[in-house]
Amino acid sequence: MTINYAIGRNSTEGRAHTMCIEGTQGCENPKPSVTELVVLEHGLYAGDPVSKVLLQPLTGRTHQLRVHCSALSHPVVGDLTYGQASGREDQPFRMMLHAFYLRIPTHTECVEACTPDPFVPTLDACWSPHTLVRSLDQLVQVLRAAPDPEPAEGSPGPCSTPTPSTRPPETEAQRASCLQWLSEWTLEPDN
């Protein structure tokens, strides 16, 4: 499924440094956010029904995957910020969110990293899968074969080497846009 909820900063008292979806009380400056979700397995975690999913963010908003899952009423297991605080002592030892496959196309090379799946019963006895829906290995093969997003018009391809003569100097608008993007990634909103 495609999750398409705009995400903004939560201005509600006591919820500083959290995000929210457009239309909820206190949601300021929501921006378009899109995530692809594929169900891999169904099972139980510490006796509670859960699903293992593969999430692919198509945009890069703060806490995007966590906020989108929570908006579907299926928060990430162990997410104490956007999930249900149950007060149980058998909470997971960590948030069950893991970067399994990462591809960063640059102008000089494509950097790829793939890690082992940490959500298997041999590594976490609380996870008990019972229904395989999709094979994770097959999905990773599809992701690896997928083309990188199209570059903006006039810019070099994601894995091509730019030539100095084709790159115009940075404009004030581009610089302002870059600074705005960088400010969204800081930990403190006032920095």
Side-chain angles (χ1 to χ4, degrees):
M1 75 182 297
T2 299
I3 307 168
N4 192 355
Y5 292 118
I7 295 176
R9 187 164 302 282
N10 195 337
S11 66
T12 305
E13 188 172 333
R15 299 292 294 172
H17 306 292
T18 64
M19 308 305 283
C20 50
I21 61 168
E22 185 174 30
T24 58
Q25 185 176 353
C27 192
E28 293 181 348
N29 196 24
K31 296 179 180 171
S33 306
V34 182
T35 301
E36 292 290 328
L37 180 148
V38 177
V39 176
L40 302 173
E41 286 182 279
H42 298 293
L44 300 173
Y45 190 87
D48 293 326
V50 296
S51 296
K52 183 191 295 188
V53 299
L54 179 71
L55 298 167
Q56 182 180 11
L58 302 181
T59 53
R61 305 291 174 222
T62 303
H63 301 178
Q64 177 176 320
L65 301 178
R66 297 166 62 195
V67 172
H68 276 172
C69 287
S70 181
L72 296 175
S73 298
H74 293 283
V76 173
V77 172
D79 186 346
L80 302 178
T81 301
Y82 298 103
Q84 305 296 323
S86 64
R88 293 171 30 176
E89 292 191 24
D90 62 347
Q91 286 289 331
F93 61 95
R94 60 170 274 201
M95 185 183 335
M96 298 296 156
L97 183 63
H98 175 76
F100 179 75
Y101 174 73
L102 181 66
R103 177 169 59 192
I104 304 170
T106 69
H107 294 294
T108 56
E109 65 180 328
C110 289
V111 178
E112 286 184 292
C114 191
T115 63
D117 181 0
F119 306 128
V120 293
T122 55
L123 296 177
D124 188 344
C126 292
W127 169 236
S128 176
H130 59 69
T131 306
L132 178 66
V133 178
R134 287 244 169 92
S135 165
L136 183 56
D137 292 334
Q138 289 175 346
L139 285 174
V140 169
Q141 288 175 358
V142 169
L143 288 172
R144 283 189 164 148
D148 290 319
E150 289 295 319
E153 189 175 317
S155 68
C159 293
S160 64
T161 305
T163 56
S165 62
T166 62
R167 182 172 281 177
E170 183 180 63
T171 67
E172 284 300 316
Q174 289 169 326
R175 180 170 172 70
S177 176
C178 182
L179 291 173
Q180 172 65 32
W181 180 84
L182 288 171
S183 72
E184 292 175 8
W185 284 96
T186 60
L187 293 176
E188 296 294 329
D190 296 334
N191 288 344

